[in-house]
């Protein structure tokens, strides 16, 4: 009975909840500091400092989600985690949490497959990869750049199929791909999403 009660109280964050919180936090941050954000996007070290630290965007996003979530960054090689539950070794600060609710990898460059491999071998209901596409202007008259994103997403999902053929994970696990882009080199920033169950990128905030 206690096990069933504990299971019913577990914190589960869905991709829909994450996207809604992302949209809300992005709009708020752009409203407050658009010039600062646009000057950093998506320069490697500067943008990472905006996204990942304890005072960063991903932590502020987490605070919009339900449940008693805690933020960790650079934890056992994972960029960012949302955790909850109890500490299984009765340590302080949830060092060994009973619930890993969301795993997040943030990739400024082109090594998205490495992040996918890493996430595939961790357990969590929601796994998120944030990465970046070419700006729209750069894709004009360039078939390779136009095809890059959908090919990248297809490759990520194919990797997951191969791994699950070896040892499958819970079929309810969601993989959410959030992709930043600009209209042109210094233009408006906007975000697209896709997933392991919906490969076609869809705009959802900005632009």
């Amino acid at each position: 009975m206690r096990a069933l009660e504990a299971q019913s109280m577990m914190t589960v964050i869905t991709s829909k909840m994450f996207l809604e919180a992302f949209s809300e936090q992005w709009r708020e941050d752009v409203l407050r500091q658009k010039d600062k954000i646009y000057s950093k996007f998506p320069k490697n070290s500067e943008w990472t400092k905006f996204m990942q630290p304890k005072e960063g965007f991903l932590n502020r996003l987490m605070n919009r989600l339900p449940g008693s979530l805690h933020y960790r960054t650079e934890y056992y090689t994972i960029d960012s985690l949302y955790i909850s539950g109890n500490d299984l070794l009765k340590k302080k600060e949830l060092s060994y949490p009973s619930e890993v609710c969301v795993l997040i990898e943030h990739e400024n460059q082109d090594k998205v497959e490495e992040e996918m491999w890493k996430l595939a071998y961790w357990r969590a209901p929601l796994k998120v990869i944030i990465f970046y596409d070419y700006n729209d202007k750069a894709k004009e008259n360039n078939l390779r750049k136009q095809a890059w994103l959908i090919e990248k997403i297809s490759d990520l999902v194919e990797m997951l199929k191969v791994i699950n053929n070896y040892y499958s994970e819970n079929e309810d696990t969601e993989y959410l791909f959030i992709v930043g882009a600009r209209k042109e080199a210094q233009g408006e920033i906007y975000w697209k999403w896709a997933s392991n169950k919906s490969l076609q990128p869809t705009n959802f905030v900005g632009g």
Side-chain angles (χ1 to χ4, degrees):
M1 185 68 177
R2 288 182 181 177
L4 290 174
E5 289 175 357
Q7 189 173 10
S8 68
M9 295 172 63
M10 287 191 301
T11 302
V12 176
I13 305 300
T14 66
S15 59
K16 181 180 178 181
M17 294 160 64
F18 192 94
L19 287 169
E20 288 175 352
F22 189 107
S23 300
E24 291 169 2
Q25 191 59 52
W26 178 256
R27 292 189 184 101
E28 179 178 303
D29 281 9
V30 169
L31 189 64
R32 288 190 298 108
Q33 49 180 341
K34 181 175 181 178
D35 290 345
K36 184 177 180 181
I37 290 172
Y38 273 55
S39 69
K40 293 177 182 291
F41 181 95
K43 299 173 184 175
N44 290 351
S45 60
E46 292 182 41
W47 190 248
T48 298
K49 288 177 183 176
F50 170 76
M51 293 292 285
Q52 286 180 219
K54 289 186 177 179
E55 68 278 6
F57 176 83
L58 292 173
N59 192 11
R60 296 193 295 276
L61 186 164
M62 181 197 72
N63 290 326
R64 293 180 176 274
L65 294 167
S68 180
L69 297 170
H70 303 264
Y71 185 72
R72 297 290 183 272
T73 184
E74 301 296 342
Y75 189 84
Y76 284 98
T77 77
I78 298 293
D79 286 342
S80 300
L81 304 87
Y82 298 168
I83 59 176
S84 190
N86 303 309
D87 192 289
L88 296 175
L89 300 188
K90 296 182 172 56
K91 304 278 187 181
K92 295 181 179 179
E93 302 297 328
L94 279 181
S95 297
Y96 298 89
S98 59
E99 299 175 19
V100 177
C101 305
V102 184
L103 296 167
I104 306 169
E105 281 295 329
H106 178 241
E107 177 54 46
N108 291 82
Q109 301 181 44
D110 193 26
K111 300 176 181 177
V112 188
E113 289 86 351
E114 294 181 11
E115 312 296 3
M116 184 65 173
W117 182 89
K118 194 188 305 181
L119 291 183
Y121 281 106
W122 275 69
R123 289 175 60 173
L126 178 61
K127 304 176 184 184
V128 181
I129 304 180
I130 301 171
F131 61 105
Y132 302 90
D133 193 10
Y134 295 98
N135 70 68
D136 293 356
K137 191 72 175 177
K139 292 195 286 188
E140 290 181 4
N141 303 315
N142 189 315
L143 296 179
R144 181 184 64 83
K145 290 181 178 180
Q146 290 173 19
W148 182 85
L149 180 57
I150 192 65
E151 289 179 356
K152 181 68 72 174
I153 292 170
S154 297
D155 288 346
L156 298 178
V157 173
E158 185 59 31
M159 281 182 65
L160 183 60
K161 289 179 181 176
V162 172
I163 292 169
N164 280 331
N165 282 339
Y166 166 66
Y167 193 81
S168 61
E169 66 183 336
N170 190 310
E171 62 182 12
D172 293 330
T173 302
E174 292 186 279
Y175 286 79
L176 178 61
F177 311 123
I178 295 182
V179 185
R182 299 186 95 138
K183 298 294 184 181
E184 52 189 13
Q186 300 302 319
E188 287 290 309
I189 299 169
Y190 68 100
W191 297 89
K192 300 172 271 193
W193 74 272
S195 73
N196 59 318
K197 299 175 183 178
S198 180
L199 272 62
Q200 184 61 43
T202 302
N203 295 1
F204 75 98
V205 66

